[in-house]
Amino acid sequence: MMGWTDRHARYFLRLISRHSLLYTEMVNTGALLHNDQKVGVQKRLLAYHVSEHPVALQLGGSDPVALAKCTVMAEDAGFDEVNLNVGCPSDRVKSGNFGACLMAKPELVADCVAAMQEKVKIPVTVKCRVGIDNMESFESFENFISKVAETGCDTFIVHARNAWLKGLNPKQNREIPPLKYDFVHRLKNENPAFTIVINGGIKTMEMVKQQLQYVDGAMLGREAYHNPYILAAVDKEIYKDKTASIKSREEIIEQMCEYIDSEQRKGVALHSITRHILGLFQGQPGAKAWRRYLSENGHREDADSRVVKQALQQIERRREHTQLIEMPLG
Ligand SMILES: Cc1cc2nc3c(=O)[nH]c(=O)nc-3n(C[C@H](O)[C@H](O)[C@H](O)COP(=O)(O)O)c2cc1C
């Protein structure tokens, strides 16, 4: 998710779940290729921590040659998968002729995917919508998927709502068009050999399990970012890893502090890491104090991992306070 799932956010999420597949923000081919000379920029766009595996690079673009070049760069950089974005509705992306508007051009998407696949061994997958604008029927959605699948691509992550390219901004396009889970279930039902991952509006582990009765995977976007501890149960309950241990939030913070220390030695500002961990205590007593303490103190010039430890103390204090209130008085 652009602006959200940068390498720091992904490092943090990986501490919570060992097996979940993580995706980068969308990187457009222009940004990668036009920075050919600027090795630093290119390196930054492809940077990830070795612990992040399995991690997929998401590309945005519609030029088969450019996409193929970037896919090779991704494979060389060690990414486990390359995903093509056919779901972003923003004006900037639309005017660049990529993202969701490509739902209307299945042949072009197929050309792109074929060109990408030809150059690499890692899987090339597609993330799309169920339609755009007045492309409302299941048949038009399936036609898109079938055309792309002719390339051999068999994995589709589907944000289960249309994107309305005229009149809605990207935020509205994640909320207003109705969810059509039934389209995604039907797609899997009629194409059992495909790997179908459903996305959109999934907020609980119960919802994930329910979806897995119909499809192969569930992708969580906003919920995983705002309430990351939801991923803590995934290794045991979804991936059935009997050896997986569920870390406490405090253990995760301890490991994050080590990461912060090492990143700060490389010149990274504390705030660019702590902004991703604000949701860790979502729903817990003290969550607000935690968020407030980090937001207010993470920007200070001398701020380091001690700020995070102090924020944790705010929570402990809040817990003690809650326990005191709960103790019978007489
Ligand atoms: C801030 C933000 C940035 C996003 N950036 C991307 C992106 O780069 N690529 C992408 O495929 N989807 C992106 N999305 C969409 C999400 O991946 C997801 O499809 C959408 O939020 C619906 O899923 P959810 O209800 O689980 O959040 C973004 C969403 C948000 C909120």
Side-chain angles (χ1 to χ4, degrees):
M1 290 181 284
M2 292 187 74
W4 288 12
T5 54
D6 64 15
R7 66 187 178 90
H8 305 308
R10 298 193 306 265
Y11 183 91
F12 168 59
L13 296 172
R14 179 58 75 223
L15 289 179
I16 306 176
S17 163
R18 195 51 248 123
H19 297 299
S20 305
L21 174 58
L22 298 174
Y23 285 80
T24 66
E25 308 165 86
M26 176 177 70
V27 176
N28 75 60
T29 52
L32 269 179
L33 298 174
H34 297 154
N35 284 309
D36 240 356
Q37 307 307 318
K38 300 182 197 159
V39 177
V41 180
Q42 210 181 69
K43 249 177 104 174
R44 182 171 56 73
L45 292 171
L46 296 173
Y48 65 91
H49 191 277
V50 63
S51 73
E52 279 179 45
H53 290 295
V55 57
L57 178 78
Q58 188 185 62
L59 290 175
S62 60
D63 172 17
V65 176
L67 280 165
K69 275 190 194 158
C70 293
T71 306
V72 171
M73 287 162 79
E75 186 175 62
D76 290 348
F79 283 94
D80 300 288
E81 171 184 322
V82 171
N83 175 265
L84 178 64
N85 183 315
V86 189
C88 180
S90 82
D91 283 342
R92 194 180 54 82
V93 163
K94 189 171 66 172
S95 64
N97 189 33
F98 60 101
C101 67
L102 292 178
M103 293 284 313
K105 299 178 182 168
E107 287 83 7
L108 175 57
V109 176
D111 288 348
C112 291
V113 171
M116 293 160 81
Q117 283 172 333
E118 201 190 317
K119 302 280 183 200
V120 296
K121 290 197 178 68
I122 55 174
V124 175
T125 64
V126 169
K127 176 160 180 266
C128 62
R129 299 273 185 145
V130 289
I132 46 167
D133 300 327
N134 57 4
M135 184 181 158
E136 289 283 358
S137 70
F138 177 76
E139 286 67 31
S140 57
F141 168 50
E142 196 178 35
N143 176 54
F144 172 83
I145 299 284
S146 317
K147 200 80 238 143
V148 179
E150 281 171 19
T151 62
C153 173
D154 62 1
T155 301
F156 298 90
I157 299 108
V158 187
H159 182 178
R161 48 164 72 87
N162 272 37
W164 295 342
L165 299 181
K166 288 172 214 112
L168 294 189
N169 65 32
K171 187 169 186 287
Q172 292 169 321
N173 257 314
R174 292 190 286 266
E175 285 159 8
I176 295 176
L179 283 162
K180 295 179 176 175
Y181 290 151
D182 55 322
F183 275 31
V184 187
H185 299 168
R186 186 170 160 196
L187 180 74
K188 173 66 189 178
N189 193 35
E190 293 181 10
N191 301 275
F194 292 169
T195 299
I196 303 295
V197 179
I198 196 162
N199 166 244
I202 301 171
K203 290 178 194 265
T204 63
M205 202 46 67
E206 275 322 300
M207 287 178 82
V208 170
K209 288 179 188 164
Q210 206 184 357
Q211 289 296 338
L212 293 180
Q213 295 173 14
Y214 304 101
V215 290
D216 304 289
M219 171 189 265
L220 274 65
R222 289 164 289 186
E223 193 62 26
Y225 190 80
H226 292 309
N227 179 22
Y229 202 67
I230 191 177
L231 298 181
V234 163
D235 294 352
K236 255 189 193 317
E237 294 186 25
I238 306 297
Y239 288 91
K240 308 288 180 208
D241 180 350
K242 291 198 184 81
T243 65
S245 63
I246 297 186
K247 283 182 204 155
S248 68
R249 292 174 174 85
E250 289 72 13
E251 279 175 289
I252 294 163
I253 289 305
E254 207 180 303
Q255 293 183 327
M256 255 338 255
C257 284
E258 286 168 23
Y259 175 74
I260 287 169
D261 293 343
S262 101
E263 287 297 302
Q264 283 207 298
R265 282 194 289 275
K266 296 180 217 153
V268 174
L270 180 72
H271 168 71
S272 54
I273 303 177
T274 51
R275 72 191 193 94
H276 300 303
I277 65 176
L278 299 177
L280 184 62
F281 289 87
Q282 176 91 341
Q284 300 289 302
K288 204 163 151 199
W290 159 261
R291 278 199 306 271
R292 188 175 331 120
Y293 195 90
L294 285 181
S295 307
E296 284 173 3
N297 298 287
H299 285 282
R300 284 196 335 247
E301 224 169 90
D302 61 341
D304 58 24
S305 61
R306 280 172 297 183
V307 168
V308 181
K309 289 171 191 153
Q310 285 151 7
L312 201 54
Q313 285 166 8
Q314 304 288 314
I315 294 191
E316 278 154 18
R317 244 175 252 150
R318 188 53 57 100
R319 277 189 194 140
E320 283 161 16
H321 181 70
T322 314
Q323 277 165 9
L324 276 178
I325 291 174
E326 281 171 0
M327 258 164 62
L329 289 176

